[in-house]
Amino acid sequence: MGRSRSKSDLPTKICPVCQRPFTWRKKWADCWDEVKYCSERCRRRRSTAEEQNNEL
């Protein structure tokens, strides 16, 4: 078994909906480049966030 990384060493992104940082998860190992949202809830709410950004 390999050495595990500490949580502070994992890559992070900012969710465009809630503007919070989220870190890499093992289930995203194969598709990390395509991950945009921190959760399913934010993914569903993306249309309202895009509309608010367009109004500014």
Side-chain angles (χ1 to χ4, degrees):
M1 214 153 111
R3 295 180 68 192
S4 62
R5 298 172 90 176
S6 67
K7 286 189 176 188
S8 62
D9 292 340
L10 295 174
T12 61
K13 291 184 181 182
I14 303 293
C15 178
V17 176
C18 65
Q19 300 299 313
R20 294 182 180 169
F22 63 98
T23 56
W24 181 91
R25 296 180 189 171
K26 189 173 182 178
K27 70 178 184 177
W28 293 334
D30 295 332
C31 60
W32 177 245
D33 293 333
E34 291 87 36
V35 173
K36 295 180 183 178
Y37 306 102
C38 65
S39 64
E40 190 66 27
R41 179 182 180 194
C42 282
R43 188 186 64 78
R44 284 190 300 249
R45 295 181 65 205
R46 70 181 179 251
S47 60
T48 56
E50 289 172 0
E51 289 172 5
Q52 290 175 352
N53 287 339
N54 290 337
E55 291 176 358
L56 295 176

